[in-house]
Amino acid sequence: MAVVAIDDDIPFWDLYELGVVCTVFGIPHPDLADPWYELRLCAAPPSAGQPAPAPAGFTMRTPYGLEGLDGADTVIVPSVPEACVDGERELPDELLRALRRAADRGARMVSLCAGAFALAAAGILDGRRATAHWMHTEALARRHPEVEVDDSVLYVDDGNVLTSAGVTAGLDLCLHLVRRDLGAHVANQLARRLVVPAHRPGGQAQFVEVSVPPSGDEGLAPVLQWATERLDEPLTVDDLAARAGMSPRTFYRRLHAATGSTPLQWLLAQRLSRAQSLLEATALPVERVGELSGLGTAANLRRHFTLHFGVTPTDYRRAFPGRAAHGTDRSQRTRRGEHPRTPKH
């Protein structure tokens, strides 16, 4: 995984995105997945003929230049200088050529925040849906009209090209990459270690598994947390609305505005996510996974799972050999703060 630092001087704001990438991918977690990622920090030189920026942050020395992109499976551009966003400076031609070479040979291309300007300038986002920090999306759309800019989502996964909004949305995308590469269980455990939610909702309809509402609608947080702890129980829209102290119609409208999903779509996404984790981390029978995830019978689990992920639950589990432990119902009970009952003899 090659990470590009575009300027010799890294402002405080951009340091966060770079730090997120280094934290998620640069610190091994052999108990979760072994091997972990190999991270390369690659420095791009300033544009020829451009004045050097006045020091306003940190300078960084890296063991790699742009040659470090060669052979990388994933290339990440965490940010670009603000002057390049504003159009006052051009990105280095050497950088854009290196990004095109990586994309042409099939590397996964990723940007965080204003890093989308580098992918766009290299032509990698042409004809694709992409996002960036909402403060920059208007400039991105204006300067690159061939890019379909969406300013309403946390991140966009367009197969081999992924872009995120700013700041903490970059962390959301990095955890999403871990989820794609290593599975939901590993991503969830890593999120716990980082003390962040494993999933956050987007502002508009986007297939992002959600577990908490955005900070702007705290009234939904308790009921959604309550629901995620009871996915194995029958839950209706009326149940959720009553728990939230709202009418079903008001609850429907508030949840849709916060997550882009209807209540039933939200519940289904949560149950599928729970099924993924159970299939990866336990050896429970498929029938029991269906029950604990709230999807009911094994046949119903297979139908929804195959429809949404393109593989059967059994085939999905085979993709994670050696990770499944001998699961029991104890984890389901202790997750709610209950204690397993002592068996009667």
Side-chain angles (χ1 to χ4, degrees):
M1 186 167 283
V3 184
V4 181
I6 292 181
D7 220 337
D8 288 343
D9 180 63
I10 303 175
F12 300 138
W13 184 271
D14 294 343
L15 190 65
Y16 179 85
E17 279 95 0
L18 180 60
V20 161
V21 175
C22 294
T23 299
V24 171
F25 302 111
I27 301 174
H29 296 271
D31 58 319
L32 297 182
D34 192 14
W36 196 250
Y37 296 87
E38 176 191 345
L39 190 70
R40 300 178 188 170
L41 287 177
C42 307
S47 301
Q50 297 291 341
F58 292 84
T59 58
M60 182 175 64
R61 289 182 296 178
T62 70
Y64 297 97
L66 291 176
E67 76 282 353
L69 276 62
D70 297 338
D73 301 302
T74 300
V75 174
I76 301 181
V77 185
S79 63
V80 301
E82 195 71 22
C84 296
V85 173
D86 297 337
E88 299 172 3
R89 294 173 56 195
E90 296 298 325
L91 289 164
D93 289 337
E94 184 181 354
L95 167 65
L96 301 183
R97 288 194 297 268
L99 292 175
R100 292 188 195 104
R101 286 196 303 270
D104 289 344
R105 64 174 171 76
R108 182 170 59 184
M109 308 300 292
V110 180
S111 69
L112 311 184
C113 194
F117 284 81
L119 298 189
I124 295 168
L125 299 183
D126 289 359
R128 292 181 178 272
R129 179 169 164 259
T131 194
H133 193 290
W134 62 267
M135 293 177 66
H136 300 321
T137 48
E138 183 178 351
L140 181 63
R142 183 177 63 253
R143 294 181 58 189
H144 302 281
E146 62 279 6
V147 180
E148 182 186 345
V149 180
D150 187 343
D151 64 357
S152 65
V153 293
L154 292 175
Y155 60 83
V156 173
D157 181 342
D158 195 11
N160 223 31
V161 178
L162 302 93
T163 55
S164 87
V167 196
T168 305
L171 178 55
D172 294 317
L173 178 53
C174 288
L175 287 173
H176 175 70
L177 290 172
V178 174
R179 191 177 304 115
R180 272 185 43 170
D181 295 342
L182 304 175
H185 178 69
V186 173
N188 291 343
Q189 292 303 309
L190 179 60
R192 290 184 63 191
R193 295 180 185 186
L194 297 176
V195 199
V196 296
H199 313 280
R200 290 198 305 148
Q204 295 292 328
Q206 175 187 349
F207 189 75
V208 178
E209 300 143 305
V210 294
S211 55
V212 295
S215 58
D217 199 341
E218 297 296 340
L220 288 177
V223 68
L224 296 189
Q225 182 63 35
W226 177 84
T228 58
E229 294 175 355
R230 291 163 177 79
L231 293 175
D232 57 325
E233 300 176 9
L235 294 173
T236 66
V237 177
D238 288 346
D239 294 332
L240 298 177
R243 183 78 185 183
M246 306 175 190
S247 70
R249 185 173 182 177
T250 299
F251 180 78
Y252 181 105
R253 185 176 65 252
R254 290 274 294 276
L255 183 67
H256 191 273
T259 69
S261 298
T262 68
L264 294 181
Q265 289 171 337
W266 184 87
L267 276 172
L268 178 59
Q270 297 304 308
R271 285 171 166 156
L272 287 169
S273 179
R274 175 66 51 76
Q276 282 182 297
S277 293
L278 291 171
L279 289 168
E280 294 172 19
T282 78
L284 291 169
V286 172
E287 291 78 7
R288 190 65 180 138
V289 171
E291 294 171 0
L292 291 178
S293 62
L295 291 169
T297 65
N300 198 47
L301 169 64
R302 278 191 290 269
R303 181 170 68 86
H304 285 291
F305 206 91
T306 303
L307 179 64
H308 283 79
F309 301 117
V311 294
T312 66
T314 302
D315 287 339
Y316 183 86
R317 173 172 271 168
R318 289 196 188 105
F320 301 92
R323 290 193 194 158
H326 292 291
T328 68
D329 291 354
R330 182 179 183 276
S331 62
Q332 185 74 7
R333 292 194 294 270
T334 56
R335 178 176 50 79
R336 300 183 192 165
E338 303 170 7
H339 297 283
R341 296 175 182 174
T342 303
K344 295 181 179 179
H345 298 285

